[in-house]
Amino acid sequence: MDAVGATPVPVDAVQVVAYTIPTDAPESDGTLTWESTTMVVVTAEAGGQRGLGYTYAGTPVATVVADMLADLITGEDALHPQARWTQMLHAVRNLGRPGVVAQAIAAIDIALWDLHSRLLGQALTVTLGAIHESVPIYGSGGFTSYSDAQLRSQLSGWVDAGIPRVKIKVGRDPSTDPARLSVALAAIGSGTELYVDANGAYRRKEALLWAQRFADHEVRWFEEPVSSDDLAGLRLLRDRGPAGLDIAAGEYGYDLHYFQRMLDAGAVDCPQADVTRCLGVSGVLRVAALCDARCLDLSLHCAPQISAQVGAAVWHLRHLEYFHDHVRIEAMAFDGVLRPQAGGVLRPDRSAPGHGLTLKAGDLERFRVR
C-alpha cells in the first residue's frame, strides 16, 4: 500500500457469533449472581485480512450487529475505523445508544481497528500511537460466593504471579465482610494493595460507614460503593470518605456524555471505562482525552486482552482489571493471549499484526448459542 488511505479497501463482510460459557464455579457480587458469561464475537474482512472484535453481553447484541450494523459497514473503507464508528452512532439514533447498542458498536469497532492495523501490517498499539510499553494490572475476582479457601487460593495465586494489586467483591452479606477482609489480607501479605468492589450494593450513608471500615483494613480502592448512576452519591463518598481510599466507578458508562457528566460532577477519584461497552476503541480513546484534559487517571475495566492494547495508548493510565472470568474465557477463546509479566503488567506484542488474537472457533463451537 503506497499511502495510508490512498486507495480505499472496502469491507467485504461483517459476521457475528455468540458463545455462552459456564463459569468454573458459582459466582456472585454485591448485587448479582451468575453461572455463565456470554461473549459476542464479531469479524470484519477486507483486503484478504480479518479483524476480530468482541464484547461480553447477551445475544441481543448479536442481533443488533447482524440486523442493524453489518450491512451499514459492508462496502465501506476499512482504513478509516473512526469514520465507520461515526456512521454507526448516527445509524442507531432511534434504537437508543446505551447498553446493548453501545456494546454492538464496541464489538464492531474493535474488529475494525484490528482489521485496519492488519491491513497496515502493524501492531494495534503502534497504530494507536502507544505511550506505554506495558499496562499495570490488578487481579480481580474474590466473589462473595467463594469459600475462605477459594478466596485465599485465588488471591495468593495472583501474588505468586507477581501481581501487586488484588480486588474482592463485597456487600452481599456485610456481616461476613470483615472476616473476608482478614482472610484476604492474610493471603496477600505486605506489599500488595487490596481493593474492594461493592457493585452498587450500598446506600450513601451505609457506604460512608463501610468506607471507613475498609480504610481501617488498609483497602486503597472502593469501587462502585453506590450505583454508577448516582453521581451525587459518588461525590459524597469522594468528599467525605477517608484519605487514602480512592472512589472509583464508570464501568457502566456507555457513551462520552456519561463520562462528561461524571467528570463535571467530580464524582470519582479514578473513572473506569470498558472498551467492550463504551463504544469500542474509538469511544475509550475519547474518554481518555476527557481524563487527560483534567490530569485525571483512567482505569480500564475487564476484557484484558483488548484493554491492554488500548491502555498502552492512554496517557493518564492507572491500571487494568485482570478479571477472573474474562481471563479464563479469553484463554479458551483466543490464540495469542498476553500473560502477566514481572511487576504485574501485560506487555502488548509489537511484532504481531493487529491485536495479535485469533479465534479458536473449533474449541468454542460447543458453547455457541447464535
Side-chain angles (χ1 to χ4, degrees):
M1 191 172 301
D2 296 331
V4 176
T7 302
V9 181
V11 175
D12 296 320
V14 175
Q15 298 178 325
V16 60
V17 293
Y19 307 97
T20 295
I21 301 171
T23 58
D24 54 2
E27 296 176 356
S28 64
D29 57 30
T31 55
L32 193 66
T33 63
W34 64 97
E35 294 188 358
S36 66
T37 299
T38 297
M39 180 172 65
V40 177
V41 177
V42 171
T43 55
E45 299 179 16
Q49 298 289 336
R50 174 179 291 178
L52 172 68
Y54 63 101
T55 186
Y56 294 98
T59 55
V61 169
T63 299
V64 173
V65 172
D67 293 354
M68 186 72 185
L69 299 175
D71 287 347
L72 178 75
I73 297 302
T74 301
E76 299 290 341
D77 189 1
L79 292 174
H80 297 281
Q82 297 202 59
R84 308 288 76 78
W85 182 79
T86 303
Q87 278 183 279
M88 290 189 286
L89 292 189
H90 287 311
V92 301
R93 185 193 68 184
N94 290 341
L95 290 181
R97 190 180 301 161
V100 166
V101 175
Q103 291 180 275
I105 292 173
I108 296 175
D109 184 74
I110 293 167
L112 291 174
W113 274 105
D114 182 39
L115 176 60
H116 174 55
S117 298
R118 291 174 188 268
L119 288 168
L120 297 181
Q122 295 179 343
L124 179 57
T125 55
V126 173
T127 304
L128 295 176
I131 299 166
H132 314 289
E133 292 285 342
S134 62
V135 175
I137 60 175
Y138 65 89
S140 171
F143 303 109
T144 58
S145 51
Y146 278 2
S147 67
D148 287 352
Q150 287 174 300
L151 183 61
R152 189 180 300 111
S153 174
Q154 187 180 71
L155 298 183
S156 61
W158 286 325
V159 174
D160 291 343
I163 300 174
R165 298 159 289 268
V166 301
K167 187 177 78 177
I168 68 172
K169 302 291 191 180
V170 296
R172 174 162 291 272
D173 180 2
S175 68
T176 67
D177 283 336
R180 295 178 67 250
L181 289 168
S182 296
V183 170
L185 289 169
I188 65 177
S190 61
T192 300
E193 293 183 0
L194 180 61
Y195 299 169
V196 298
D197 183 356
N199 292 99
Y202 301 121
R203 296 181 182 274
R204 295 179 186 181
K205 294 295 182 68
E206 185 182 18
L208 272 176
L209 174 66
W210 278 100
Q212 185 58 61
R213 291 176 177 174
F214 292 139
D216 291 343
H217 281 83
E218 302 176 31
V219 173
R220 293 292 175 259
W221 171 276
F222 190 4
E223 185 174 329
E224 217 178 4
V226 296
S227 169
S228 285
D229 293 327
D230 184 6
L231 298 183
L234 290 169
R235 177 62 186 263
L236 175 73
L237 268 292
R238 184 189 183 195
D239 286 348
R240 294 183 55 187
L245 180 66
D246 277 355
I247 302 301
E251 66 184 79
Y252 297 110
Y254 290 101
D255 59 23
L256 199 62
H257 306 293
Y258 170 84
F259 287 95
Q260 181 69 54
R261 293 193 299 272
M262 170 181 272
L263 296 175
D264 284 348
V268 293
D269 295 296
C270 184
Q272 299 168 280
D274 187 323
V275 68
T276 72
R277 289 177 179 165
C278 185
L279 302 173
V281 176
S282 299
V284 167
L285 291 178
R286 286 163 170 79
V287 173
L290 291 178
C291 294
D292 292 342
R294 295 165 170 82
C295 296
L296 190 65
D297 284 352
L298 176 66
S299 178
L300 296 185
H301 175 265
C302 291
Q305 295 305 318
I306 185 58
S307 296
Q309 305 286 329
V310 182
V314 173
W315 181 16
H316 289 91
L317 178 72
R318 172 84 60 100
H319 44 40
L320 160 63
E321 182 171 12
Y322 196 66
F323 181 53
H324 171 72
D325 284 359
H326 295 180
V327 170
R328 175 174 169 267
I329 289 171
E330 290 169 11
M332 295 170 64
F334 306 129
D335 285 318
V337 296
L338 306 174
R339 307 289 184 182
Q341 297 189 14
V345 301
L346 295 181
R347 189 180 304 276
D349 181 1
R350 296 193 179 190
S351 68
H355 51 45
L357 301 174
T358 56
L359 185 68
K360 297 191 283 190
D363 293 353
L364 293 180
E365 186 58 33
R366 61 195 172 110
F367 302 118
R368 184 168 175 169
V369 293
R370 190 189 191 284

